[in-house]
Amino acid sequence: MMKLIWLSVFIVCVWFYAEACQPGQERFGGSCYQLLTERTTWDQGDAACSEMGAALAVPDSLEEHQFIWEMFTGNVSAGHLWIGCNDREEEGKWMKSSGGGECNFFKWASGEPNGGDSHIDCMQLWRNGNGLMDDTDCAYQIFVICESPVTLAVPTMSCLQRYADARSSSHCLTGHVIKEFSAKGVIACGSACRDEPRCRSFNLRRGGPGELICQLNNVTRNEADVKNIRLDNGCKYFEF
Ligand SMILES: *[C@@H]1O[C@H](CO)[C@@H](O)[C@H](O)[C@H]1NC(C)=O
Ligand SMILES: CC(=O)N[C@H]1CO[C@H](CO)[C@@H](O)[C@@H]1O
Ligand SMILES: [Ca+2]
């Protein structure tokens, strides 16, 4: 039996702030990362990053630590990498440069840190330790990675399509959700979709009282199986 569903399409245009990193940088979370091409001392690296409006990168989580190490090893096949912590002021107390506060994520290589009270006061991601942390002489010349907050690009207008059928304005795409989180509304959810490279469409679904759940999908409704397009009163589907 053939079932005919009448669809109408609403077009909603909204302004988005497209977040982006500069060419040559890579993004992870809310930061842009850039590898410098020259090997320098820790202080020269620190100065070079701040000249670019950035700072020596500091991993604050295991995921960020892994991202930094993979970005480095994907580009450079030998050598070590400065990151932005040193314990010059007080042995064992690791601080970010230029008043950035304390470093609070540590994943030391086995046997590290071993600098004691000497001048071995700067933190590197150590190739011999598979990218784990090591304290070493700040005067060594090794690679440098800078980190800066994601810059807001010019606002861009985007048009969203919302589909509705004759019976209900509400239907959503299921089975292709790659991320789900609560969001303020269609603009916040759409911005998140724009910032996620795999996002092709999104659902905005009623959650608890006063709560909206944003679901990012990795396909559009035209690419999905019809059985995954469900009428659902608490849910609206959008694509760009
Ligand atoms: C989309 O994500 C689902 C999981 O939600 C996965 O099973 C599927 O392979 C992904 N499809 C594409 C086209 O990336
Ligand atoms: C500085 C540098 O060479 N960065 C490159 C590292 O590798 C990624 C992915 O291969 C490139 O996009 C970067 O430009
Ligand atoms: Ca050491």
Side-chain angles (χ1 to χ4, degrees), residues 175-179 198 216-219 223:
H176 294 279
V177 176
I178 49 169
K179 273 190 189 164
R198 289 172 304 153
L216 307 186
N217 302 316
N218 62 2
V219 294
E223 298 157 348

Side-chain angles (χ1 to χ4, degrees), residues 46 86 95-102:
D46 185 36
N86 73 69
M95 305 296 291
K96 300 177 188 174
S97 66
S98 50
E102 267 187 74

Side-chain angles (χ1 to χ4, degrees), residues 5 10 17 28 34 49 112 125 138 162 176:
I5 299 179
F10 300 95
Y17 286 98
F28 179 81
Q34 183 163 349
C49 290
E112 304 300 336
L125 298 188
C138 306
R162 181 157 84 74
H176 294 279

Side-chain angles (χ1 to χ4, degrees), residues 24 26 35 75:
E26 283 191 48
L35 288 170
N75 281 284

